[in-house]
Amino acid sequence: MSKAMARETRNAASVMRLQFHDCFVNGCDASLLLDDTPTMLGEKEALSNINSLRSYEVIDEVKSALERACPGVVSCADIIIIAARDAVALSGGPNWEVKLGRLDSLTASQEDSNNIMPSPRANVTALIDLFRRFNLSITDLVALSGSHSIGEGRCFSIVFRLYNQSGTGLPDPAIEPGFRERLDALCPPGGDGNVTGGLDLTPIVFDNRYFKDLVRGWGFLNSDQTLYSGGDGRTREVVWRFSQDEARFFKAFVEGMVRLGDLSSGRPGEVRRNCRVVNEQRLDEVLLEV
């Protein structure tokens, strides 16, 4: 992870996001990493992942090194969890011990990913409902949303907030006016949707700045600002507490990441040799080539 972050600091946030997008969809089983096959549509091009998730090659590099050192031992699913933890720690956030022993899935489901993963437009009610499905609390929701303490978001994800919130033809009133002017300049109407901006004011440092920004109306994504301005007093209170107490946020974040890492489908699995393909498929391809 240190090498990956030296190449590009943004790799830290990108790798950390992989845990969220993997674990919510049928548990932490590295199904996210499987490439499409003629008989399976994988999750990489699901609505919340296509043109958004990145840094898969970092996981490939880790897996290659591990396969040289101890082949067939460390699963891709465990690599995602460890790499996400290291990304946080190397960005100035907390460090913690992670549980190991996960198996890699034998399949993936683009449909499941589309049905489960939230949109950047999600409101607080939808987010609470999603987390409740996985026995994750409101504190977990707010703390884990703090993963956006590092990283960047695309203009594509916020233009509706700037120019047509809820079909009104008007900007989201929750955006502080001065901040909205900065976002308007970054993401003008008809501009490049792939231009990115920091998810908080310190996008390469894992801290509680994200929550301070939400209190000021400086949330980048609708799904972030709604935690403070969306009308739910419970999430608003937690955002306020974390904005005042970074240690409290770090503690809750670690607890949430451990619970997220415990999500499992209970389905059969394996330790893949290559994170992008199941072992049986890899063997079939080799036999066909021969």
Side-chain angles (χ1 to χ4, degrees):
M1 278 307 302
S2 294
K3 292 178 180 178
M5 291 170 63
R7 288 199 308 267
E8 184 183 9
T9 306
R10 192 180 170 196
N11 276 327
S14 300
V15 167
M16 179 177 58
R17 285 187 68 203
L18 297 180
Q19 176 170 340
F20 289 81
H21 288 244
D22 184 45
C23 292
F24 273 126
V25 182
N26 300 317
C28 307
D29 61 2
S31 59
L32 174 67
L33 302 180
L34 288 174
D35 289 339
D36 291 352
T37 73
T39 58
M40 182 199 74
L41 280 179
E43 298 164 21
K44 289 181 177 177
E45 295 195 359
L47 295 175
S48 62
N49 300 340
I50 189 171
N51 297 324
S52 179
L53 290 188
R54 54 198 299 279
S55 299
Y56 296 113
E57 73 283 354
V58 176
I59 304 299
D60 292 336
E61 292 166 6
V62 176
K63 181 61 174 174
S64 295
L66 283 167
E67 285 299 298
R68 289 192 298 269
C70 50
V73 175
V74 184
S75 69
C76 303
D78 277 349
I79 291 171
I80 291 174
I81 300 295
I82 300 167
R85 184 273 312 273
D86 290 353
V88 172
L90 291 168
S91 299
N95 201 345
W96 64 97
E97 185 175 346
V98 298
K99 300 176 185 178
L100 302 175
R102 298 167 189 82
L103 293 177
D104 299 323
S105 70
L106 304 178
T107 188
S109 174
Q110 187 175 119
E111 180 180 5
D112 286 351
S113 183
N114 286 338
N115 290 335
I116 293 170
M117 293 305 299
S119 160
R121 303 186 182 202
N123 61 33
V124 67
T125 301
L127 293 171
I128 290 171
D129 289 345
L130 170 65
F131 274 64
R132 184 183 293 126
R133 286 174 58 184
F134 298 101
N135 295 316
L136 295 169
S137 69
I138 284 175
T139 298
D140 291 329
L141 163 61
V142 178
L144 291 175
S145 295
S147 63
H148 287 170
S149 171
I150 56 174
E152 300 177 3
R154 294 187 300 153
C155 286
F156 173 82
S157 299
I158 65 167
V159 288
F160 72 96
R161 290 190 73 204
L162 299 177
Y163 307 110
N164 190 27
Q165 176 78 330
S166 302
T168 62
L170 299 171
D172 179 0
I175 307 175
E176 189 273 324
F179 183 63
R180 191 181 72 238
E181 290 181 4
R182 298 209 298 271
L183 293 181
D184 288 345
L186 179 71
C187 308
D192 183 353
N194 288 317
V195 169
T196 61
L199 292 173
D200 74 357
L201 290 188
T202 56
I204 64 173
V205 179
F206 194 95
D207 54 18
N208 70 334
R209 179 78 241 183
Y210 165 85
F211 298 104
K212 295 178 185 290
D213 289 352
L214 296 187
V215 171
R216 300 184 69 171
W218 291 2
F220 190 85
L221 300 174
N222 190 80
S223 55
D224 291 328
Q225 191 61 52
T226 190
L227 299 174
Y228 190 74
S229 308
D232 192 291
R234 297 167 297 175
T235 59
R236 184 182 179 94
E237 172 62 24
V238 180
V239 168
W240 171 256
R241 289 204 307 265
F242 289 164
S243 75
Q244 300 299 302
D245 189 340
E246 185 174 79
R248 190 171 189 169
F249 160 51
F250 281 7
K251 181 176 183 293
F253 181 81
V254 168
E255 292 170 350
M257 288 292 274
V258 170
R259 279 192 278 272
L260 181 64
D262 284 342
L263 296 180
S264 171
S265 69
R267 298 174 182 174
E270 64 182 4
V271 176
R272 290 185 210 136
R273 293 187 292 272
N274 178 337
C275 291
R276 296 175 179 263
V277 293
V278 299
N279 292 341
E280 291 80 5
Q281 177 187 341
R282 183 66 175 171
L283 178 60
D284 289 344
E285 290 174 349
V286 171
L287 291 174
L288 286 173
E289 290 171 0
V290 171

